[in-house]
Amino acid sequence: MSKYNETNCDREPIRIPGCIQPHGILICLKEPEMTILQVSQNIGERLGFERVEDLLYQNLGRVVGEDSYNNLCKRISAEGDVAQLNPYSFVIPTMQKTQDTNVLIPTSWDATFHRSGGLLLMEMELSTSRNEDYLEAFYKKGKQSITALAGTHDVQLLTLMTVNEVARITGYDRVMAYRFDKDGHGEVVAEKKDDSLRESFHGLRYPATDIPKQARELYLKNWIRVIPDRSYQPVPIIPPNNPLTDEPLDLSFAWSRSVSPIHLQYLKNMGVEASMSISLVVEGKLWGLIACHNSHPRYVPYEARSMCEFLGQMLSWHIDTSAASMLAEQLHASRHHTTILYNAMSLSETWITGLLAQPDQLLGMVGATGAAVCYDRQIFRVGKTPPLESLVELVEIYKKFPPCKTLSTDCLADHYDRGSEIKDTASGVLATFLSQANGDAILWFRPEVAKTVNWGGRDVKGAADAHGNLAPRASFALWKEVLSGKSETWQNSDEVVASELRHSVMEMVIKHRIKKAHDQEILRVKIAEEDLRKQEEFIDTICHEIRNPINGITGSVELLRDQLTQIRALMSTFQGAATAELSDSIEEIKLNIDSIAECAEHQTMITNDVLKFNVNGPAHELVRVPFVVQTVIQQVARMFVGKIQKRGIKFNLNVPAHPLVVRGDAQRLKQVVINLVANAVKFTEKGQISVSMGKVLATAQHKFIQISVEDTGIGMTEDERQALFSGNSEEIGSPIKSRSATNLSRTLSEVGSSGDLVGDMTRGGGLGLKISRRNVQLMKGDLEISSQKKCWKSI
């Protein structure tokens, strides 16, 4: 025998039953022609048509008459929203029974409209009397109901008053208000019943399986559902499928929709012959229902149904407002605790220390009896908590849950196999995660609280009938169940303040990490500054030692020049071949002295470059600010253009007119361009010098800009070009403290004695280019050289 359960019911096609209840007539129209594409089969016997099929693909005027049809089309065109037409009344001939025969008598009908599946659905029902006495009486009823509810703010009292008003307006002999819990079970929280009914349902609970999932979804879409006669025979729709989609017609918003046979049997088992349900929707969720039952068939007219629906909406709004107000009050009380916790964490060395120093606040904020802070593979406990072994297992279980920030349960045994073993301390768990993947979380615990629940019948799931068809439960007798392993339910406010504490803790974690990183950075800077100071002192000493002999050389050169001047003056008094020969020797000596002077000058420049170049100092820290690349290049050009033109050299500057704004180290870029242009000026005697800004290559994180400095100077060979950048980085780039004064002096001497300075006065040592290349590399770029000996050179 197949079991009846919610999953089986979820598969029942209640939205597309293919039929309606017989108290209504359904006509499905294609707009704008208003062509009939589907009708309910009862239209024939109700309105006197012999063959229902003959109405298909006919104009609606065939049913309601040309005058009513034309007026209706005008109203639809004017309103746009067809719901504004409801109810639309008209008079059409209707089959009425007399003593001897059936005759067509002009009768008033009400029509309501909505759209579904590309069709305009018109549902018709017989109109109630709308004379002045009826309208005045109904108006008074509605006004009394609204006045009574408007002056009440207590939700429980308001719910009871709404139930009483619905019973007064509709005349049902039992009207109840259900409230659903988070598991979907319903509890009767208010009831108005006729004195003839002995049994009260107030306080009884009904299982979630009584209302399947898809039925709850329909209650959210259509706030009211009515069944005038439980014993009705369903009326099929002809044809059963929507001709536009070739699919069953969706009747989700149709008040005449035929309901599930299982539900009809459910009502029969309860002794109910007519029913009406009004949805109570709060925050977009089904909060509950107002359920109306009658022991005899009962029809409720459109106006009464509309008023009841309005009362349900009013009650829903009041519940929503009250819930928001209650949540605000609960949060206000809880935030007193979280404020103390925040201050404690702020003043403590670590956030955990501050949190654990306020156990009453940590527990009191959510009404827990125990808590555990799990962080960085450590667990700290407060109050009454499960054993450490259980906490470790629980954390591992939560790590496998779908990603979330906060979750709660009032029955841990539903998620943890050994939950029943720790129910005295942790039947309920509220968790907020700092890092769910790492198991970093704050957990709160509540103990088991045994409860007795009054169920409206013990047979919760029921079974299939004798023919194997799904059948609802048949027992509704009071059954008391003692629930164990459950704690007090966590409220929304508990989850909110837990989430707020999570944010505060995350803020503290970030602050502590920033402070730690800041302290480490300060220490690193101090160490770097001390190293730099020692390096600078060492460099200053070495360079001082180098400058002393250079200064001596420079002084000696000046003395030699003075002495040569004196010798020339003395020789001017002599004549002869010997004198001419001696004069030539003196001129040669002068050239050598000038060469020595230039060597000394270049050696001084190299020494100054070494003093300025320190890879461990600020040179490694880029200052990133927005700047215009063209502006930097133009500033450098202005520095050199005068000197270049005085030497008779042509100067070309080629940069794009549209400014290119980048974020980077403008000063460092400027230093590089100055060095390159200075080299071009220094080694170019004739021809031209060109500075150009080329193409821009952009990536997701960087912009690469090509800047070229070209000249017609002395150039260099390929071997010289490769040798320039292939030297050991220790010569210039490695920390000075790793080399001795002798090594440094040797390095500088080698630069001066390699032939670049002493052997060829037109060559440079290359240190400036090496420094420039290092700066460019710091800016994620590179410096390249293409050259031909004694020809055009491009950097």
Side-chain angles (χ1 to χ4, degrees):
M1 180 180 292
S2 62
K3 292 293 182 181
Y4 163 86
N5 55 48
E6 189 175 9
T7 301
N8 292 332
C9 274
D10 287 342
R11 293 195 293 266
E12 190 181 9
I14 61 176
R15 294 184 301 105
I16 49 172
C19 50
I20 65 169
Q21 299 180 56
H23 67 284
I25 294 175
L26 176 65
I27 302 176
C28 302
L29 305 166
K30 180 184 178 183
E31 298 179 281
E33 302 89 347
M34 304 297 277
T35 304
I36 300 173
L37 296 187
Q38 288 179 282
V39 292
S40 58
Q41 193 176 48
N42 61 347
I43 193 173
E45 62 175 298
R46 298 293 298 275
L47 301 183
F49 294 101
E50 293 184 2
R51 279 177 47 84
V52 174
E53 290 79 2
D54 292 342
L55 292 175
L56 298 179
Y57 298 99
Q58 299 296 309
N59 186 276
L60 179 62
R62 175 81 182 276
V63 176
V64 301
E66 288 302 319
D67 291 341
S68 295
Y69 165 74
N70 291 331
N71 186 44
L72 177 62
C73 289
K74 291 178 182 178
R75 290 287 306 277
I76 291 176
S77 177
E79 294 290 348
D81 180 9
V82 293
Q84 300 298 321
L85 299 176
N86 299 336
Y88 184 82
S89 300
F90 46 80
V91 176
I92 56 177
T94 305
M95 188 68 69
Q96 303 284 350
K97 291 183 178 180
T98 63
Q99 293 181 351
D100 301 326
T101 183
N102 295 333
V103 295
L104 289 173
I105 300 176
T107 308
S108 179
W109 287 79
D110 286 340
T112 56
F113 300 86
H114 72 278
R115 293 185 172 96
S116 175
L119 297 176
L120 177 64
L121 274 60
M122 183 173 81
E123 296 176 273
M124 299 168 52
E125 60 184 322
L126 288 171
S127 299
T128 54
S129 173
R130 284 194 175 86
N131 57 41
E132 291 185 2
D133 292 339
Y134 171 83
L135 293 176
E136 183 179 357
F138 187 79
Y139 171 77
K140 287 182 178 179
K141 278 187 177 183
K143 185 177 180 181
Q144 290 172 3
S145 299
I146 294 172
T147 302
L149 298 179
T152 307
H153 299 287
D154 180 81
V155 171
Q156 182 59 40
L157 178 58
L158 191 64
T159 303
L160 179 59
M161 293 177 65
T162 303
V163 164
N164 289 337
E165 289 301 310
V166 170
R168 184 175 66 85
I169 293 171
T170 62
Y172 282 105
D173 52 25
R174 189 194 301 272
V175 179
M176 302 166 287
Y178 283 88
R179 178 176 182 174
F180 299 121
D181 62 19
K182 66 177 184 178
D183 295 323
H185 303 313
E187 179 182 1
V188 180
V189 295
E191 181 185 42
K192 170 64 176 176
K193 70 179 185 68
D194 190 88
D195 293 338
S196 61
L197 302 176
R198 292 181 299 173
E199 187 179 10
S200 173
F201 294 163
H202 186 266
L204 294 183
R205 290 168 62 90
Y206 293 85
T209 51
D210 279 6
I211 306 177
K213 179 181 177 181
Q214 62 172 335
R216 294 172 190 264
E217 292 174 352
L218 278 181
Y219 280 127
L220 281 174
K221 292 181 178 181
N222 196 346
W223 282 45
I224 193 164
R225 186 198 65 190
V226 62
I227 305 174
D229 185 355
R230 179 199 60 78
S231 302
Y232 75 87
Q233 293 297 316
V235 178
I237 298 172
I238 300 174
N241 283 1
N242 179 348
L244 298 183
T245 63
D246 196 29
E247 293 179 353
L249 185 64
D250 189 338
L251 297 177
S252 296
F253 294 95
W255 52 258
S256 62
R257 173 179 57 86
S258 185
V259 299
S260 162
I262 298 175
H263 180 70
L264 295 176
Q265 184 63 43
Y266 180 91
L267 294 177
K268 181 179 180 180
N269 294 346
M270 292 187 72
V272 175
E273 293 299 321
S275 74
M276 185 174 74
S277 300
I278 306 164
S279 302
L280 299 175
V281 180
V282 177
E283 293 184 348
K285 298 179 181 179
L286 191 63
W287 183 91
L289 291 173
I290 296 176
C292 308
H293 291 172
N294 212 65
S295 55
H296 302 285
R298 184 170 189 80
Y299 173 76
V300 179
Y302 176 85
E303 289 87 356
R305 299 199 307 267
S306 297
M307 176 57 69
C308 291
E309 183 177 7
F310 175 71
L311 294 179
Q313 291 171 348
M314 279 191 63
L315 178 58
S316 297
W317 182 83
H318 277 286
I319 293 171
D320 192 5
T321 304
S322 176
S325 177
M326 182 180 299
L327 177 61
E329 292 177 3
Q330 293 171 339
L331 290 177
H332 178 73
S334 299
R335 281 169 179 157
H336 170 72
H337 300 289
T338 56
T339 300
I340 296 175
L341 289 172
Y342 183 87
N343 293 334
M345 289 189 294
S346 299
L347 298 174
S348 300
E349 183 177 354
T350 67
W351 65 270
I352 295 179
T353 303
L355 206 61
L356 299 178
Q358 300 289 336
D360 293 341
Q361 311 300 332
L362 181 60
L363 300 179
M365 61 178 284
V366 294
T369 55
V373 179
C374 310
Y375 187 73
D376 197 19
R377 298 185 180 180
Q378 300 181 78
I379 298 180
F380 307 88
R381 292 183 286 174
V382 172
K384 299 178 180 179
T385 66
L388 186 60
E389 178 186 358
S390 297
L391 290 176
V392 172
E393 292 178 352
L394 188 58
V395 168
E396 290 301 316
I397 290 174
Y398 279 146
K399 285 168 65 175
K400 299 175 183 177
F401 269 43
C404 61
K405 297 293 187 295
T406 302
L407 58 83
S408 65
T409 178
D410 59 3
C411 186
L412 181 59
D414 290 343
H415 311 283
Y416 177 40
D417 293 340
R418 297 174 57 188
S420 59
E421 299 176 11
I422 56 174
K423 63 181 181 180
D424 292 339
T425 56
S427 283
V429 179
L430 170 62
T432 187
F433 298 102
L434 309 177
S435 172
Q436 187 176 355
N438 295 330
D440 296 338
I442 302 175
L443 310 177
W444 289 270
F445 306 103
R446 286 178 179 175
E448 175 192 44
V449 177
K451 295 180 181 179
T452 299
V453 177
N454 295 327
W455 292 98
R458 182 170 184 173
D459 185 9
V460 176
K461 292 186 178 180
D465 60 19
H467 303 288
N469 299 317
L470 292 176
R473 61 194 181 93
S475 172
F476 296 92
L478 173 64
W479 174 58
K480 294 179 181 281
E481 180 186 18
V482 177
L483 298 180
S484 61
K486 288 195 172 187
S487 70
E488 290 290 345
T489 301
W490 303 96
Q491 302 300 317
N492 288 342
S493 59
D494 297 326
E495 296 192 7
V496 171
V497 294
S499 181
E500 290 178 351
L501 180 63
R502 172 187 174 275
H503 288 298
S504 296
V505 169
M506 294 299 292
E507 179 183 338
M508 293 300 162
V509 170
I510 293 172
K511 282 184 176 180
H512 281 294
R513 287 177 179 174
I514 291 175
K515 184 178 182 301
K516 182 178 179 181
H518 182 259
D519 292 343
Q520 291 176 342
E521 179 63 17
I522 290 176
L523 179 61
R524 187 195 68 78
V525 169
K526 286 182 178 179
I527 294 173
E529 288 177 347
E530 180 63 20
D531 287 345
L532 181 60
R533 184 187 63 80
K534 292 179 180 179
Q535 292 172 15
E536 289 175 347
E537 289 178 354
F538 180 73
I539 293 173
D540 287 344
T541 301
I542 297 301
C543 289
H544 178 71
E545 294 299 324
I546 294 173
R547 277 200 180 105
N548 282 340
I550 293 176
N551 291 336
I553 293 171
T554 303
S556 298
V557 167
E558 292 302 319
L559 288 175
L560 288 173
R561 284 173 172 168
D562 290 342
Q563 290 173 357
L564 283 175
T565 302
Q566 294 174 6
I567 292 172
R568 281 178 174 172
L570 181 61
M571 286 180 60
S572 65
T573 60
F574 297 98
Q575 293 182 352
T579 301
E581 183 177 351
L582 181 59
S583 178
D584 292 339
S585 298
I586 290 173
E587 189 61 32
E588 185 177 350
I589 292 172
K590 179 183 177 299
L591 292 175
N592 288 334
I593 290 173
D594 290 341
S595 178
I596 293 171
E598 289 189 21
C599 284
E601 182 183 350
H602 282 285
Q603 194 73 50
T604 301
M605 291 174 58
I606 294 172
T607 303
N608 291 336
D609 283 340
V610 172
L611 283 171
K612 294 178 182 177
F613 187 73
N614 181 4
V615 295
N616 292 331
H620 271 266
E621 299 176 1
L622 295 176
V623 179
R624 293 182 173 87
V625 295
F627 68 93
V628 179
V629 178
Q630 288 95 323
T631 300
V632 172
I633 298 175
Q634 290 165 350
Q635 288 173 350
V636 176
R638 285 195 295 269
M639 294 171 59
F640 289 94
V641 65
K643 185 175 181 180
I644 294 172
Q645 291 175 348
K646 282 182 181 181
R647 297 177 59 179
I649 301 171
K650 183 180 179 181
F651 180 69
N652 302 314
L653 177 62
N654 303 307
V655 294
H658 184 71
L660 175 63
V661 180
V662 298
R663 186 177 180 86
D665 196 326
Q667 189 59 35
R668 192 179 299 274
L669 177 62
K670 186 176 181 180
Q671 291 172 357
V672 171
V673 180
I674 287 174
N675 198 317
L676 299 182
V677 175
N679 277 345
V681 173
K682 180 178 178 181
F683 298 111
T684 302
E685 295 181 357
K686 60 181 180 179
Q688 61 181 345
I689 296 174
S690 299
V691 179
S692 305
M693 175 180 164
K695 59 184 179 181
V696 177
L697 174 62
T699 65
Q701 297 179 335
H702 299 96
K703 287 183 178 178
F704 294 93
I705 307 161
Q706 184 184 63
I707 299 175
S708 300
V709 178
E710 300 172 316
D711 64 70
T712 55
I714 61 175
M716 62 178 67
T717 66
E718 180 63 21
D719 291 340
E720 289 172 334
R721 189 189 70 82
Q722 293 183 0
L724 182 62
F725 293 151
S726 63
N728 191 330
S729 61
E730 185 178 331
E731 291 185 10
I732 295 173
S734 60
I736 299 297
K737 63 183 180 181
S738 68
R739 294 183 281 133
S740 65
T742 304
N743 288 335
L744 179 60
S745 299
R746 183 181 301 116
T747 300
L748 295 173
S749 299
E750 287 171 353
V751 173
S753 62
S754 63
D756 285 340
L757 295 178
V758 179
D760 183 354
M761 294 302 299
T762 62
R763 309 303 299 163
L767 180 60
L769 286 178
K770 291 184 178 180
I771 294 174
S772 294
R773 190 188 195 202
R774 181 62 58 85
N775 281 331
V776 173
Q777 288 174 337
L778 287 174
M779 293 185 285
K780 307 298 183 184
D782 201 3
L783 188 146
E784 299 177 351
I785 296 176
S786 61
S787 174
Q788 292 181 358
K789 185 70 174 177
K790 301 296 182 182
C791 191
W792 187 276
K793 178 178 62 178
S794 173
I795 299 180

